[in-house]
Amino acid sequence: MTRPTPLWLLVVLQGGISAASLVVEIVAGRMLAPHVGMSLYTWTAVIAVVLAGFSAGHWWGGRLAALPTNRALAWTGGATLAAALTTAAAVLILPMVAGPVLAVVTSPVWGITALTMVVFFLPSFFAGVPAPVLAQIAITSNPDRSGPALGAMFASGAVGAIAGVLLAGIVFIAWLGSALTLVVVTVVYIASGLLFFWLARSRGFAIAVLAGAAAAGMAGLALAAPQQCHQETQYFCLRVEDLSADPSSPVHLMVIDHLAHGISARDAPQVQFTVHGAMLDTLTRLRAPRADYSTYVIGGGSFSVPRSLMAQGAGPMTVAEIDPEVTQLAEDAFWFDASAAEIWHEDARRALLIRPERQFDIIIGDAFTDVVVPVHLVTREFFELVAARMTPDGSFLMTVIDYEDRLGSLGSIVMTLREVFPVVEVWTQAGQPAPGSRMVFAVVAGSVETPISQFTAPAPDLMAFAALDDRFIRAIAADRGMILTDDYAPIDRLMGRPD
């Protein structure tokens, strides 16, 4: 016979497994970021796949709960060890399958969902098995207090989930990184699985030990595997690439999640290496109302644009970069002198909101979540706040990315800006874009027009840029745009590809 299992142990097991499974859910988003970015689509896919896995696991666990207790515990132990093995394997599998899966499933939404399903469904499925079994044992072991016992199990699962989310988001990822965090989860699953076999007095305990050793070995391989991030922070996966043609004159690229966010050359701070950087740099200087103009930059990244403007004699420079570790990396690897600027490590919108006394000649919006501007930085309410923090002859510039065959995001941002500013311009690289290509725009808003309608700038080769015809922009806004507000701003849908 199986020894009675005390309720407190069932509660601890349920809470621990629940916490571990939610840690995996949070880490899944971070692990996917270097391959598909960190967007609304990414988190939608992660949550949907993990919940699907839990649901299927609960269903199977419910069938196991109908077995005699010792057999149910042994099967549950096997499922938990399988969770350990598949969780550790996720670190190794993801880099191997990301390219092929995304090449076959080209739709952004379904590609991310398919990749998430391949890598994270099984860990979630196996982690969902224990809950019904443990709940059934709690009820049958406490027939006189079945209600409180069942309530304790549900509460333990919920508290464990809360703890897992908090630990993953605040502690584990920032301090351990994704791979080591999943190794910790693997260890929790191994210990839980072996405990289930021991409680069942199963003759398969020796085999369970071997399975646990295999999962531990897989975890070791995961730790030894090349890491996608050079540095993981509470916000981003950061990587620095050396693009130098001449080692004595270094040029570095900053990759945040899966996108290049800026390039800087140590010996040429005024040279931009990206289309958006070249436009923002030149348009800022063209629209500056005075020589010592003040600037507020939303989104630091590699700090290439602030560094360039400062090298060319700009006045007071303020940068809002929410992640202090990004700023530190810009100092360490991109030659930015943070002591020469005022850095606000907080949300850029809130930073403006709580400083009503501050005004700037130029405000630059260069913050992105994946390829989309964060939703709270594209609304009419935010643009009204920007206008209130600008000097009377100031200007607002922002980078916008959209697809040539859609332009719904661009049109909506222009339409919304026109609600606040009398003059709105859209600049981009001169020339005919390829059909369906992703385009980079600089949107300019203020009280006066830019004194010229085209210019050339190095990026790093000399490129021509021009303002789009105002009639074309008005037509795009009227046909495909909408007013974006804090209540409703579906920027991801407006930007996303339909195929």
Side-chain angles (χ1 to χ4, degrees):
M1 293 181 58
T2 303
R3 64 173 65 86
T5 305
L7 180 61
W8 68 265
L9 182 55
L10 297 172
V11 167
V12 169
L13 281 168
Q14 173 71 358
I17 293 172
S18 180
S21 64
L22 265 293
V23 169
V24 173
E25 179 176 359
I26 300 300
V27 173
R30 171 53 56 85
M31 289 178 61
L32 289 165
H35 303 281
V36 297
M38 187 68 75
S39 66
L40 178 63
Y41 297 152
T42 307
W43 281 115
T44 299
V46 168
I47 294 171
V49 168
V50 169
L51 289 179
F54 287 164
S55 299
H58 292 337
W59 172 82
W60 190 38
R63 295 180 68 86
L64 295 180
L67 298 174
T69 300
N70 60 336
R71 290 185 61 197
L73 283 171
W75 274 99
T76 303
T80 309
L81 291 175
L85 189 63
T86 53
T87 297
V91 180
L92 302 173
I93 293 172
L94 179 58
M96 296 169 55
V97 303
V101 170
L102 296 175
V104 172
V105 188
T106 57
S107 165
V109 177
W110 295 114
I112 295 171
T113 303
L115 181 59
T116 308
M117 180 70 72
V118 169
V119 180
F120 292 105
F121 177 81
L122 284 180
S124 302
F125 169 75
F126 289 120
V129 171
V133 176
L134 294 175
Q136 176 67 18
I137 295 173
I139 293 172
T140 56
S141 299
N142 299 271
D144 297 332
R145 294 181 55 81
S146 59
L150 186 60
M153 296 304 294
F154 274 95
S156 176
V159 171
I162 294 169
V165 170
L166 293 175
L167 286 171
I170 298 174
V171 179
F172 286 159
I173 293 175
W175 290 94
L176 302 181
S178 297
L180 187 53
T181 296
L182 289 192
V183 168
V184 172
V185 171
T186 300
V187 171
V188 171
Y189 285 155
I190 292 172
S192 301
L194 293 178
L195 181 56
F196 283 131
F197 273 95
W198 181 78
L199 290 173
R201 296 182 180 269
S202 173
R203 288 176 292 181
F205 187 77
I207 297 176
V209 171
L210 291 177
M218 186 69 73
L221 292 175
L223 285 179
Q227 301 300 306
Q228 297 293 316
C229 310
H230 294 163
Q231 182 178 352
E232 284 192 87
T233 75
Q234 291 180 324
Y235 296 94
F236 305 115
C237 166
L238 305 178
R239 192 168 76 250
V240 178
E241 302 290 347
D242 189 348
L243 305 182
S244 309
D246 179 1
S248 65
S249 183
V251 178
H252 290 169
L253 162 70
M254 177 182 284
V255 180
I256 299 180
D257 292 337
H258 74 137
L259 292 176
H261 274 249
I263 304 174
S264 286
R266 185 193 64 188
D267 303 326
Q270 75 282 4
V271 174
Q272 294 298 317
F273 290 80
T274 61
V275 169
H276 81 280
M279 288 193 289
L280 292 177
D281 180 278
T282 304
L283 287 168
T284 294
R285 290 181 286 110
L286 284 172
R287 296 186 63 88
R290 57 188 60 82
D292 61 342
Y293 61 91
S294 58
T295 310
Y296 177 56
V297 180
I298 299 171
S302 64
F303 284 74
S304 301
V305 172
R307 180 173 178 247
S308 173
L309 295 175
M310 292 163 63
Q312 296 176 83
M317 177 67 65
T318 303
V319 181
E321 169 51 62
I322 197 168
D323 191 342
E325 295 189 55
V326 169
T327 302
Q328 188 62 54
L329 186 61
E331 291 188 79
D332 295 341
F334 293 85
W335 310 285
F336 178 71
D337 182 7
S339 65
E342 185 177 5
I343 311 297
W344 296 342
H345 291 128
E346 54 188 300
D347 177 79
R349 178 168 172 171
R350 174 168 172 75
L352 285 180
L353 184 66
I354 64 176
R355 295 175 174 87
E357 75 286 355
R358 296 297 296 270
Q359 287 203 321
F360 303 92
D361 295 314
I362 301 290
I363 296 179
I364 299 175
D366 195 26
F368 283 87
T369 299
D370 196 53
V371 295
V372 180
V373 180
V375 64
H376 68 301
L377 301 182
V378 295
T379 65
R380 179 173 55 200
E381 292 84 349
F382 172 67
F383 294 149
E384 289 170 347
L385 175 63
V386 166
R389 298 296 183 267
M390 282 168 36
T391 57
D393 50 359
S395 298
F396 173 59
L397 290 69
M398 69 179 298
T399 305
V400 176
I401 298 174
D402 209 339
Y403 289 96
E404 180 272 343
D405 55 347
R406 288 187 62 85
L407 300 180
S409 173
L410 176 68
S412 298
I413 289 172
V414 169
M415 179 178 283
T416 307
L417 281 167
R418 290 189 190 277
E419 293 276 299
V420 180
F421 296 95
V423 174
V424 179
E425 301 170 348
V426 178
W427 292 74
T428 192
Q429 187 175 355
Q432 182 65 37
S437 61
R438 194 164 70 189
M439 300 181 66
V440 179
F441 303 93
V443 180
V444 177
S447 58
V448 297
E449 296 181 353
T450 304
I452 60 176
S453 60
Q454 57 185 355
F455 62 83
T456 57
D461 297 326
L462 204 61
M463 288 187 178
F465 301 94
L468 297 181
D469 185 87
D470 188 61
R471 290 171 297 180
F472 173 74
I473 294 304
R474 287 184 181 274
I476 291 295
D479 182 48
R480 309 179 192 181
M482 60 182 295
I483 303 299
L484 305 173
T485 68
D486 284 350
D487 178 63
Y488 185 57
I491 196 70
D492 290 90
R493 175 175 61 80
L494 293 167
M495 166 76 182
R497 301 298 301 276
D499 52 342

